[in-house]
Amino acid sequence: MSYWYNNTAPDGDIAVSTRIRLARNINGYPFPAKMSAAQRKEVNEIIKNAISDIKLPGINALNFIDMSDVPDNERYSMLERHIASREFVLNSDNKAIILSDDETVSIMIGEEDHIRIQVILPGLQLEKAYEIANSIDDAFCKKLNLAFDNTLGFITECPTNLGTGLRASVMLHLPVSEGNGDILSITKSVNKIGFTVRGMYGEGSGASGSLYQISNQITLGISEKNAIDNLKVISQQLIDKERKLQEGLNSVQTEDLCMRALGTLKYARVLSSNELITLISRVKLGINRGFISDDINPIKILIEGQPYMLMKKYGSMTESERDAFRAEMVRNSL
Amino acid sequence: MSYWYNNTAPDGDIAVSTRIRLARNINGYPFPAKMSAAQRKEVNEIIKNAISDIKLPGINALNFIDMSDVPDNERYSMLERHIASREFVLNSDNKAIILSDDETVSIMIGEEDHIRIQVILPGLQLEKAYEIANSIDDAFCKKLNLAFDNTLGFITECPTNLGTGLRASVMLHLPVSEGNGDILSITKSVNKIGFTVRGMYGEGSGASGSLYQISNQITLGISEKNAIDNLKVISQQLIDKERKLQEGLNSVQTEDLCMRALGTLKYARVLSSNELITLISRVKLGINRGFISDDINPIKILIEGQPYMLMKKYGSMTESERDAFRAEMVRNSL
């Protein structure tokens, strides 16, 4: 199975992934939070039928999955692969998800809204991700009676999603911009124009792994195209800046930092989730600087080293057992 | 050139090296501290002539080296190879050293005493080292008029060496005994019976690299054989205890510690002298536990990674340049 993170991607040296999410609801049903179990099942069926004959170019088979059939470890691992939200996997009663074989497309049913179409692609690929999401949205529009208001646009449970229902986000690896303190000023300035920056792992300014997600906050009074174009410009600026900063790192100390991280990953017998993130970040930098072979896919290792990804593969275990399995998995990947 | 640390040795898992030193002086000359330059040269010549036709079984050719001909880096590196004393290499005016090809035998001329015969062997080999030192001493006794008193024994400058003039020492690698705090109680009890324990690298109780030297302090009123037998018993006890403690270390955490050390040594691009000692110590433990191949000779890497050993090979350089050369040398050795 080739998941989204298995592929190389445009601007993949800095851009880890691009996500597009569209929130949609069906007329005649309350929002999921107010739905009865019977209504949830009805909506699941309606959407299941709607996708049954959808064939879209470039999207491989869509599979309807009843979340109550999904074992815990598999369910929580969806969060770690970034194909479902925390709320969705924590409480999945009467929920369902539609996944393409490569998990590029994931459609959550019964999350905050009836339908959440998500497309995730590696690197910076906003137009392509939007195009895919949009083709699915078009297909739903034809088959379902979606809640839409001529003034407000698509109706969503949370007012912050009203209008386009679009959330576009880009995950960037910004170790040098972070080290420079640039992230703080960037966060402030993009906030002013309706975008947010947040660390993907860890809390506060010292996001572990230097992975940051930049996303739009405004969905009302702005077209999808504008929102995506703006995010693309911001992302490209951040990427160019980080790339330039990385190119300036020529010291043996940088090489040492990156190579030691690789050495630890190759030799450790116990590896916590947090340490993995920190070391993977340095290895990624080392690949960009040419110190480390680009045969290594650090993002794949990072994702496959997450707790539920490991337990999905090796079965449930304690944290310390997991740290040993993680170290083994990482060694085998390198 | 195969130096003493290139060879495997009895009890080499714990015992790094054995050293025997005999202090001797020639009648008719003051002790070196009081000698004129002319007298020093005279004594050098006398001893040079004395060894010119000494052929001893098991000892390869003895070479007389005028220390003023030895470049600084080479001279200081003798200290790092444990074949000369600090005082001797720091001020080497009119001093000389006699070295066997493999540096197992080193005879300092003009140190604190006229003659200091030293034999160093890998592992625990007290009898063998003493036998070699004794055969050289015998040869000198026949050819030179050595200062000897029927009551006091061999006359030495420092009263603590009077008598046998013998100092026997064993260097042991005691990481678990150190971690347990056993070293402190061992030090106290061996002090009471005339032996000392001191860290070989670093100061105080936290000797970096867990390398400890145990040596006799009493040279008067005790035969060479007794001193050596006692040291052997003490060393063997410490070795057995440490070995047993190491055998009890089965946790993945121990394996992790040792393997990470190896990973860092294999991948670091900058390596300080202190870090090298710490990591080598863990690698040595990892070899004993079977985690790491015993093709690796950690003591050779430790010694060849010392500052002057590096500069003797690669030329003089700053500390930070040295840290990079050290890392390269270590990588090439692994």
Side-chain angles (χ1 to χ4, degrees):
Chain A
M1 180 72 69
S2 183
Y3 292 132
W4 65 267
Y5 49 80
N6 284 338
N7 301 310
T8 53
D11 296 303
D13 56 336
I14 311 294
V16 173
S17 64
T18 300
R19 277 196 292 176
I20 294 288
R21 183 264 282 155
L22 295 171
R24 301 291 182 255
N25 288 281
I26 301 173
N27 275 325
Y29 289 93
F31 291 123
K34 304 262 178 165
M35 281 162 86
S36 67
Q39 284 176 313
R40 288 174 175 278
K41 284 175 184 163
E42 242 179 271
V43 166
N44 286 352
E45 277 308 302
I46 291 169
I47 297 168
K48 185 179 182 179
N49 290 331
I51 63 138
S52 65
D53 58 353
I54 289 182
K55 289 272 176 300
L56 295 167
I59 302 172
N60 52 38
L62 293 176
N63 310 299
F64 181 93
I65 299 161
D66 189 328
M67 288 299 283
S68 52
D69 295 341
V70 180
D72 283 2
N73 290 336
E74 167 62 34
R75 206 169 73 236
Y76 296 132
S77 79
M78 290 179 173
L79 176 64
E80 297 170 342
R81 296 202 295 286
H82 305 295
I83 61 167
S85 66
R86 184 171 299 276
E87 298 66 31
F88 187 77
V89 301
L90 283 180
N91 175 3
S92 56
D93 291 351
N94 298 308
K95 291 175 183 169
I97 195 165
I98 296 164
L99 286 178
S100 65
D101 280 346
D102 64 358
E103 298 191 348
T104 295
V105 174
S106 61
I107 304 167
M108 288 181 279
I109 307 173
E111 208 243 23
E112 194 178 275
D113 297 293
H114 294 149
I115 302 172
R116 289 246 166 139
I117 303 165
Q118 184 194 265
V119 176
I120 185 165
L121 292 176
L124 182 65
Q125 304 195 68
L126 280 160
E127 286 100 339
K128 190 172 172 199
Y130 177 67
E131 196 182 294
I132 297 170
N134 199 39
S135 69
I136 296 164
D137 185 36
D138 283 350
F140 277 141
C141 283
K142 278 176 202 153
K143 295 186 164 251
L144 300 171
N145 180 14
L146 295 181
F148 184 83
D149 177 277
N150 282 332
T151 311
L152 293 173
F154 288 101
I155 305 300
T156 56
E157 194 206 27
C158 180
T160 60
N161 290 319
L162 275 173
T164 59
L166 168 82
R167 175 115 322 133
S169 65
V170 172
M171 199 200 317
L172 302 180
H173 180 235
L174 303 171
V176 196
S177 307
E178 178 187 84
N180 277 357
D182 283 359
I183 294 292
L184 291 174
S185 57
I186 289 163
T187 303
K188 275 187 193 166
S189 53
V190 302
N191 279 347
K192 287 180 192 156
I193 52 170
F195 290 82
T196 60
V197 178
R198 67 178 186 90
M200 281 299 288
Y201 297 89
E203 289 297 317
S205 59
S208 79
S210 310
L211 291 166
Y212 290 88
Q213 180 173 277
I214 298 97
S215 60
N216 69 316
Q217 288 305 295
I218 300 171
T219 53
L220 205 56
I222 181 171
S223 73
E224 286 93 334
K225 190 176 178 318
N226 269 345
I228 285 170
D229 284 351
N230 289 344
L231 179 58
K232 192 182 171 185
V233 169
I234 292 167
S235 302
Q236 200 64 62
Q237 279 179 351
L238 291 173
I239 290 170
D240 292 346
K241 190 172 190 179
E242 174 68 23
R243 194 177 280 147
K244 208 161 185 173
L245 287 167
Q246 289 192 11
E247 282 164 3
L249 293 177
N250 293 312
S251 72
V252 70
Q253 279 73 22
T254 305
E255 188 180 354
D256 183 59
L257 186 79
C258 299
M259 295 310 288
R260 280 171 182 249
L262 179 63
T264 303
L265 290 177
K266 280 197 176 188
Y267 283 85
R269 261 52 186 172
V270 179
L271 208 52
S272 74
S273 193
N274 276 337
E275 191 182 10
L276 176 66
I277 295 167
T278 303
L279 296 175
I280 280 292
S281 171
R282 292 177 190 164
V283 166
K284 185 159 174 59
L285 178 61
I287 294 170
N288 289 353
R289 298 301 304 117
F291 305 137
I292 298 173
S293 158
D294 62 4
D295 290 346
I296 294 171
N297 181 341
I299 300 303
K300 178 173 151 66
I301 296 171
L302 174 61
I303 289 179
E304 295 188 345
Q306 297 302 303
Y308 291 100
M309 286 295 283
L310 287 171
M311 296 200 291
K312 160 178 134 85
K313 197 165 173 181
Y314 300 106
S316 291
M317 46 189 148
T318 65
E319 191 176 336
S320 62
E321 289 168 336
R322 218 156 52 212
D323 289 350
F325 271 90
R326 180 177 294 114
E328 193 184 330
M329 182 282 288
V330 169
R331 284 202 306 285
N332 293 339
S333 305
L334 289 170
Chain B
M1 182 70 68
S2 184
Y3 292 131
W4 66 266
Y5 49 81
N6 286 338
N7 303 310
T8 52
D11 295 304
D13 55 336
I14 312 292
V16 173
S17 63
T18 299
R19 277 194 292 175
I20 293 289
R21 184 264 282 156
L22 295 172
R24 300 291 182 254
N25 288 280
I26 300 173
N27 275 326
Y29 290 93
F31 291 122
K34 303 259 177 166
M35 281 163 85
S36 68
Q39 285 176 313
R40 288 175 176 276
K41 283 175 186 163
E42 241 177 273
V43 166
N44 285 352
E45 276 308 303
I46 291 170
I47 297 168
K48 186 179 179 176
N49 290 333
I51 64 140
S52 65
D53 58 353
I54 290 182
K55 289 272 178 300
L56 295 167
I59 301 172
N60 52 38
L62 293 175
N63 309 299
F64 182 94
I65 299 161
D66 187 330
M67 288 299 283
S68 54
D69 294 340
V70 180
D72 284 1
N73 291 335
E74 167 61 35
R75 205 170 72 238
Y76 297 132
S77 79
M78 289 178 173
L79 176 64
E80 297 169 343
R81 295 201 295 286
H82 306 294
I83 60 167
S85 67
R86 184 172 299 277
E87 298 64 32
F88 187 77
V89 302
L90 284 179
N91 176 4
S92 57
D93 292 351
N94 298 309
K95 292 178 182 167
I97 195 164
I98 295 164
L99 286 178
S100 65
D101 280 346
D102 64 358
E103 298 191 348
T104 295
V105 174
S106 62
I107 303 167
M108 289 182 280
I109 307 173
E111 208 243 22
E112 196 179 272
D113 296 294
H114 294 151
I115 301 172
R116 290 245 165 142
I117 303 165
Q118 184 194 266
V119 176
I120 185 165
L121 292 176
L124 182 66
Q125 303 194 67
L126 278 161
E127 287 99 339
K128 191 174 172 195
Y130 178 67
E131 194 181 295
I132 297 170
N134 199 38
S135 69
I136 296 165
D137 186 35
D138 283 350
F140 277 141
C141 282
K142 279 176 201 155
K143 294 186 165 250
L144 301 171
N145 179 13
L146 294 182
F148 184 83
D149 177 276
N150 281 333
T151 311
L152 293 173
F154 287 101
I155 305 298
T156 56
E157 194 206 26
C158 182
T160 60
N161 292 318
L162 275 173
T164 58
L166 168 82
R167 176 115 321 137
S169 65
V170 172
M171 198 199 319
L172 302 179
H173 180 234
L174 303 171
V176 195
S177 307
E178 178 187 83
N180 278 357
D182 284 357
I183 294 292
L184 290 173
S185 57
I186 289 164
T187 303
K188 275 187 194 166
S189 53
V190 302
N191 279 347
K192 286 180 192 156
I193 52 169
F195 290 81
T196 60
V197 178
R198 67 178 185 91
M200 281 300 289
Y201 297 90
E203 289 298 316
S205 59
S208 78
S210 311
L211 291 165
Y212 290 87
Q213 181 174 275
I214 298 95
S215 60
N216 69 318
Q217 288 304 297
I218 300 170
T219 53
L220 206 55
I222 181 169
S223 73
E224 287 93 334
K225 191 177 178 313
N226 268 346
I228 285 170
D229 284 350
N230 289 344
L231 180 57
K232 192 182 170 188
V233 169
I234 293 168
S235 301
Q236 201 63 62
Q237 280 179 349
L238 291 174
I239 290 169
D240 292 346
K241 190 171 189 180
E242 174 69 23
R243 195 177 280 147
K244 208 162 186 174
L245 287 168
Q246 289 191 12
E247 281 164 4
L249 293 177
N250 293 311
S251 72
V252 68
Q253 280 72 24
T254 305
E255 188 180 355
D256 184 59
L257 187 79
C258 299
M259 295 310 289
R260 279 171 183 249
L262 179 63
T264 303
L265 290 176
K266 280 198 175 187
Y267 282 85
R269 261 53 187 172
V270 178
L271 209 52
S272 74
S273 193
N274 276 337
E275 191 181 11
L276 176 65
I277 295 168
T278 303
L279 296 176
I280 280 292
S281 170
R282 292 177 189 164
V283 166
K284 184 158 174 60
L285 177 61
I287 294 170
N288 289 353
R289 296 303 302 117
F291 305 138
I292 297 174
S293 158
D294 62 3
D295 291 345
I296 293 171
N297 180 341
I299 300 304
K300 178 172 151 66
I301 297 171
L302 174 61
I303 290 179
E304 294 188 346
Q306 296 303 303
Y308 291 100
M309 286 295 282
L310 287 172
M311 295 201 292
K312 159 177 136 83
K313 197 165 173 180
Y314 300 107
S316 291
M317 47 189 148
T318 64
E319 190 176 337
S320 62
E321 287 168 338
R322 217 156 53 211
D323 288 351
F325 270 90
R326 179 177 295 114
E328 194 185 329
M329 182 282 286
V330 169
R331 283 202 306 284
N332 293 340
S333 306
L334 288 169

